[in-house]
């Protein structure tokens, strides 16, 4: 029966596909116990039965309109029915004194490490497939319900209560069709990532994992914030037409990729891209970005932390150098680590893991000034990479001039050390600060004298001015980037920058939304930075309005004269 859920739109677009439900995470261990002779056969029967259940599970998931997904499932089914492999397991089990679950796990570990040892990408992927399908078999035998993001099948619509940003990246790279979550706000980092990858996403859906089942057909209309489960035929056809129209619009917008952005009255606007990985830089270039306005380096750290490591200088140097080389002589602004808040570096001993109010805690510059060695390592990598392009360094979450002074002292030390180590580096890299706290906006006049540029982080600025957690869907209606208080702070910061003659840009999400974009340009902003996929739509919007029209729109908002 058709059911409709309402949430909030985290990344617009329409998707139709099969649901893949990720239920609550549990800790799973595979037990190792000695068995009696009487238990041997029932153990094997249990294993065979579980294989059958998993085969049916995958068969149920097949989306016949999606050949790629069908091919993936086909591979899984071949593995589950590979008699050679199953006989090997049986042989080992029959000659051992331990339970079947343990033997299966042992055999999987041996086989996958042999495949990985070859060092061939194809075989490593097969190893991952084996782990994926047999983990499901084992979990099923042991009555564990949970499945992790690793097992998600490409092209499905993922439904979960909550996932971590690093898991979201994994899913988006797998090219899932859409994401439905119970948690998360419009400016949460997962929604930012969803927009980067152009994945339609609806958050704030009540209990989605208990109301939607894996294999259900769903329509995600993220533009209207709707999730429709088991749509009837007419609705499904309607959405197929809408999807075709959306694809046509993407083709229409392609003409803007090679054009420079300008307003209706020909005022040029610079559009940079926000990125989180090296691959995103290529995406930004392909989408026609004038440069990178914000490289959120914390996502790389979070991914490394998943493998229990902290990025070292060399790894970071290579990553920054790659982004600079991809962008050639175009401007690239790399932000120092904005760890904390929802972007936790999940390693033992890191600050910010168990804070009561992480968004007000040891985040970003506070984290870096406390964890000096991590900060110094990043700065070293940045100064070394600076040789390879047009780099600018950006400091997040600044609330006081002293934080800039302290950073400059650390930079001097870093340069001294690089000299001693005989490593070449760029000496004069512009240093900018994010205006993303009320304190920074209010004192932007004297911060402007201490740095080379400003970048307005409207996501945090809106959150802190409105006192609304950007991650929390329950208060999402109060998260208002067009609130006159937010606009006045931005206007004041634009004025401070112009009085000190330093550049200012906006890299928060509001630069990518029509109404807010008009206000920003109307208040004098001429440089913005947005998700790569938004560059062309923004060029089109800008071409429809003159600066005068946008100024009038901003004035009405600043004076709170817009009817709500
Ligand atoms: C912002 O706060 O607007 C911003 C761009 O930084 P982040 O979203 O990474 O906090
Ligand atoms: Mg921020």
């Amino acid at each position: 029966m058709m059911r409709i859920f309402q949430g909030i739109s985290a990344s617009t677009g329409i998707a139709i596909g099969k649901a893949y439900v990720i239920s609550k995470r549990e800790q799973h261990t595979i037990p190792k116990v000695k068995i009696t002779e009487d238990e041997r056969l029932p153990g094997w029967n249990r294993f065979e039965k579980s294989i059958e259940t998993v085969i049916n599970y995958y068969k149920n998931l097949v989306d016949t309109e999606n050949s790629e997904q069908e091919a993936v499932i086909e591979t899984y089914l071949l593995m589950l029915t590979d008699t050679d492999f199953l006989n090997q397991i049986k042989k080992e089990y029959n000659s051992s004194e331990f339970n079947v679950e343990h033997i299966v796990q042992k055999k999987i570990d041996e086989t996958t490490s042999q495949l990985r040892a070859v060092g061939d990408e194809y075989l490593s992927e097969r190893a991952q497939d084996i782990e994926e399908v047999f983990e499901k078999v084992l979990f099923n035998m042991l009555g564990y319900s949970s499945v992790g993001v690793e097992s998600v099948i490409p092209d499905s619509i993922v439904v979960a209560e909550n996932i971590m940003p690093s898991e979201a990246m994994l899913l988006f790279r797998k090219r899932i069709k859409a994401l439905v979550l119970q948690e998360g706000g419009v400016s949460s980092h997962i929604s930012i990532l969803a927009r980067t990858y152009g994945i339609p996403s609806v958050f704030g859906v009540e209990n989605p994992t208990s109301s939607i089942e894996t294999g259900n057909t769903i329509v995600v209309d993220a533009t209207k914030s709707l999730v429709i489960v088991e749509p009837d035929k007419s609705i499904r056809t309607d959405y197929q037409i809408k999807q075709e129209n959306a694809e046509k619009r993407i083709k229409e917008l392609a003409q803007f990729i090679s054009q420079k952005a300008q307003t209706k009255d020909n005022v040029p606007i610079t559009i940079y891209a926000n990125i989180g990985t090296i691959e995103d830089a290529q995406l930004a270039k392909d989408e026609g970005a004038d440069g990178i306005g914000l490289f959120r380096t914390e996502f790389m750290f979070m991914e490394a932390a998943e493998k229990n490591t902290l990025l070292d200088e060399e790894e970071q140097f290579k990553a920054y150098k790659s982004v600079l080389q991809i962008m050639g002589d175009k401007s690239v602004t790399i932000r120092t680590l904005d760890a904390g808040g929802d972007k936790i570096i999940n390693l033992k001993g890191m600050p910010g893991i168990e804070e009561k109010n992480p968004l007000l805690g040891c985040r970003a510059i506070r984290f870096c000034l406390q964890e000096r060695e991590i900060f110094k390592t990043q700065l070293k990598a940045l100064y070394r990479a600076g040789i390879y392009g047009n780099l600018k360094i950006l400091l997040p979450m600044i609330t006081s001039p002293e934080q800039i002074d302290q950073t400059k002292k650390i930079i001097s030390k870093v340069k001294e050390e690089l000299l001693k180590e005989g490593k070449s580096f760029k000496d004069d890299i512009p240093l900018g600060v994010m205006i993303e706290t009320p304190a920074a906006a209010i004192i932007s006049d004297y911060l402007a004298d201490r740095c080379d540029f400003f970048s307005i982080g409207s996501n945090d600025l809106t959150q802190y001015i409105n006192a609304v957690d950007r991650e929390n869907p329950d208060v999402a209606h109060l998260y208002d980037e067009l609130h006159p208080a937010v606009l006045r702070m931005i206007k004041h910061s634009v004025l401070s920058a112009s009085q000190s003659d330093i550049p200012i840009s906006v890299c928060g999400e509001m630069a990518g939304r029509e109404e807010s974009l008009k206000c920003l340009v109307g208040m004098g902003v001429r440089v913005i930075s947005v998700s790569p996929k938004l560059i062309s739509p923004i060029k089109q919007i800008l071409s429809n309005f003159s600066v005068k029209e946008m100024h009038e729109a901003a004035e009405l908002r600043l004076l709170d004269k817009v009817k709500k």
Side-chain angles (χ1 to χ4, degrees):
M1 202 186 62
M2 183 167 95
R3 284 156 291 145
I4 302 180
F5 299 87
Q6 176 84 45
I8 53 169
S9 172
S11 170
T12 56
I14 290 168
I16 307 169
K18 294 259 180 180
Y20 193 104
V21 180
I22 300 179
S23 36
K24 246 200 177 107
R25 217 164 300 272
E26 291 166 27
Q27 279 304 324
H28 297 316
T29 45
I30 307 298
K32 178 183 178 183
V33 282
K34 283 197 175 164
I35 54 162
T36 61
E37 236 4 85
D38 289 351
E39 287 167 327
R40 191 174 302 280
L41 187 61
W44 185 255
N45 291 343
R46 239 186 18 254
F47 174 57
E48 284 192 328
K49 193 155 187 302
S50 180
I51 290 205
E52 215 179 288
T53 310
V54 176
I55 289 176
N56 287 335
Y57 168 85
Y58 281 125
K59 281 188 177 162
N60 217 5
L61 272 188
V62 173
D63 185 348
T64 45
E65 285 163 37
N66 186 330
S67 56
E68 261 179 62
Q69 190 246 26
E70 236 185 321
V72 172
I73 295 188
E74 193 58 37
T75 318
Y76 291 170
L77 294 178
L78 283 176
M79 284 172 172
L80 288 164
T81 48
D82 179 346
T83 36
D84 268 359
F85 187 55
L86 296 178
N87 281 338
Q88 281 177 38
I89 300 179
K90 193 172 190 176
K91 205 167 153 208
E92 178 146 356
Y93 174 57
N94 283 339
S95 58
S96 115
E97 51 181 338
F98 292 107
N99 58 323
V100 67
E101 291 87 349
H102 168 69
I103 300 298
V104 173
Q105 182 67 62
K106 186 167 162 270
K107 202 74 201 145
I108 299 302
D109 287 347
E110 280 167 16
T111 314
T112 53
S113 15
Q114 277 164 9
L115 288 173
R116 288 199 169 98
V118 180
D120 174 88
E121 201 181 323
Y122 174 81
L123 292 180
S124 300
E125 279 172 18
R126 293 298 71 79
Q128 216 176 333
D129 289 341
I130 293 176
E131 279 166 355
E132 141 92 42
V133 292
F134 283 96
E135 179 183 87
K136 213 172 249 45
V137 173
L138 286 172
F139 281 11
N140 182 273
M141 287 173 83
L142 293 160
Y144 297 154
S145 59
S146 119
V147 282
V149 291
E150 306 76 24
S151 3
V152 169
I153 293 165
D155 277 317
S156 40
I157 295 181
V158 173
V159 178
E161 285 174 15
N162 191 9
I163 53 172
M164 290 186 296
S166 55
E167 294 173 318
M169 272 202 290
L170 210 95
L171 291 175
F172 297 155
R173 286 206 196 112
K174 271 192 174 188
R175 298 240 58 90
I176 58 163
K177 276 192 174 166
L179 179 63
V180 176
L181 291 182
Q182 176 167 333
E183 294 177 18
V186 279
S187 287
S188 66
H189 285 97
I190 298 186
S191 73
I192 291 171
L193 287 169
R195 286 192 285 275
T196 302
Y197 288 86
I199 308 289
S201 301
V202 176
F203 296 173
V205 174
E206 217 174 307
N207 292 324
T209 55
S210 25
S211 352
I212 302 174
E213 279 175 26
T214 294
N216 279 162
T217 298
I218 11 184
V219 168
V220 173
D221 179 351
T223 311
K224 288 198 180 145
S225 316
L226 295 179
V227 177
I228 308 169
V229 184
E230 297 295 348
D232 55 34
K233 200 152 184 279
S234 71
I235 300 248
R236 208 183 147 127
T237 317
D238 265 9
Y239 273 103
Q240 269 155 350
I241 296 168
K242 281 188 184 161
Q243 216 176 17
E244 281 160 22
N245 290 341
E247 277 156 21
K248 269 193 215 139
R249 180 161 154 71
I250 292 173
K251 286 199 186 118
E252 263 166 43
L253 283 171
Q255 54 164 314
F256 284 96
I257 291 179
S258 55
Q259 288 177 25
K260 286 265 155 216
Q262 55 177 19
T263 60
K264 192 165 82 182
D265 51 339
N266 304 332
V267 175
I269 307 288
T270 302
I271 309 187
Y272 292 142
N274 293 344
I275 62 166
T277 62
I278 304 172
E279 302 96 82
D280 294 351
Q282 192 54 51
L283 179 67
K285 201 174 165 192
D286 296 344
E287 294 288 334
D290 292 318
I292 302 298
L294 171 66
F295 180 4
R296 291 182 167 97
T297 56
E298 51 279 2
F299 290 125
M300 287 189 331
F301 281 79
M302 287 156 71
E303 272 198 289
E306 292 284 300
K307 294 179 196 119
N308 223 9
T309 60
L310 189 63
L311 289 179
D312 65 20
E313 183 186 317
E314 223 40 50
E315 287 166 317
Q316 291 188 59
F317 165 67
K318 280 193 195 138
Y320 306 148
K321 180 178 159 189
S322 300
V323 170
L324 285 160
Q325 285 177 328
I326 290 171
M327 298 312 291
D329 56 5
K330 290 187 160 75
S331 174
V332 172
T333 300
I334 301 187
R335 186 173 69 184
T336 56
L337 191 55
D338 181 10
D342 64 322
K343 294 181 286 193
I344 298 294
I345 312 290
N346 210 351
L347 290 176
K348 209 165 174 254
M350 285 286 151
I353 290 181
E354 277 174 22
E355 285 181 312
K356 206 164 173 199
N357 286 309
L359 290 166
L360 301 177
C362 190
R363 188 186 159 187
I365 193 71
R366 303 168 183 183
F367 176 102
C368 286
L369 291 173
Q370 184 175 312
E371 297 296 315
R372 290 282 166 112
E373 283 313 308
I374 296 180
F375 198 21
K376 273 174 67 185
T377 305
Q378 182 169 41
L379 288 167
K380 277 187 172 176
L382 284 168
Y383 272 84
R384 286 176 58 201
I387 301 175
Y388 298 90
N390 182 0
L391 174 64
K392 299 180 177 74
I393 295 176
L394 179 60
L395 305 175
M397 278 282 289
I398 292 289
T399 50
S400 76
E402 289 75 31
Q403 290 166 326
I404 306 175
D405 298 343
Q406 285 176 44
T407 302
K408 284 183 177 168
K409 276 195 193 136
I410 297 173
I411 289 175
S412 305
K413 192 120 194 23
V414 157
K415 287 184 188 170
E416 270 172 35
E417 286 182 20
L418 286 174
L419 266 180
K420 268 197 214 139
E421 290 161 18
K423 293 175 180 159
S424 20
F425 63 92
K426 174 118 189 262
D427 193 41
D428 52 341
I429 299 177
L431 183 68
V433 304
M434 295 278 297
I435 302 292
E436 57 179 346
T437 62
I442 292 167
I443 60 165
S444 53
D445 45 348
Y446 50 97
L447 289 183
D449 294 335
R450 280 185 157 86
C451 67
D452 301 311
F453 65 97
F454 280 163
S455 183
I456 296 180
S458 59
N459 306 337
D460 278 313
L461 192 59
T462 304
Q463 150 171 273
Y464 294 126
I465 290 180
N466 287 303
V468 172
D469 179 350
R470 61 194 264 196
E471 303 290 324
N472 183 346
D474 293 340
V475 286
H477 61 289
L478 296 171
Y479 182 92
D480 182 9
E481 60 203 14
L482 285 167
H483 192 297
V486 178
L487 296 181
R488 287 179 195 194
M489 290 280 161
I490 293 177
K491 194 176 175 192
H492 175 61
S493 309
V494 172
L495 191 68
S496 302
S498 112
Q499 279 166 350
S500 292
D501 204 17
I502 61 165
I504 184 163
S505 58
V506 176
C507 63
E509 298 300 296
M510 75 184 281
R513 293 190 257 266
E514 178 164 340
E515 241 346 85
S516 342
L517 171 71
K518 281 159 62 185
C519 291
L520 292 173
V521 177
M523 291 190 296
V525 171
R526 296 290 176 268
V527 185
I528 56 166
S529 191
V530 294
S531 297
K533 293 269 183 221
L534 290 179
I535 297 175
S536 291
I538 284 175
K539 286 181 184 169
Q540 190 183 42
I541 295 170
L542 289 169
S543 69
N544 289 333
F545 298 96
S546 67
V547 167
K548 185 166 175 281
E549 284 164 334
M550 292 191 260
H551 177 73
E552 283 163 6
E555 283 303 300
L556 285 180
R557 294 274 176 189
L558 281 158
L559 298 170
D560 205 12
K561 283 194 176 155
V562 174
K563 282 205 184 88
K564 286 171 191 154

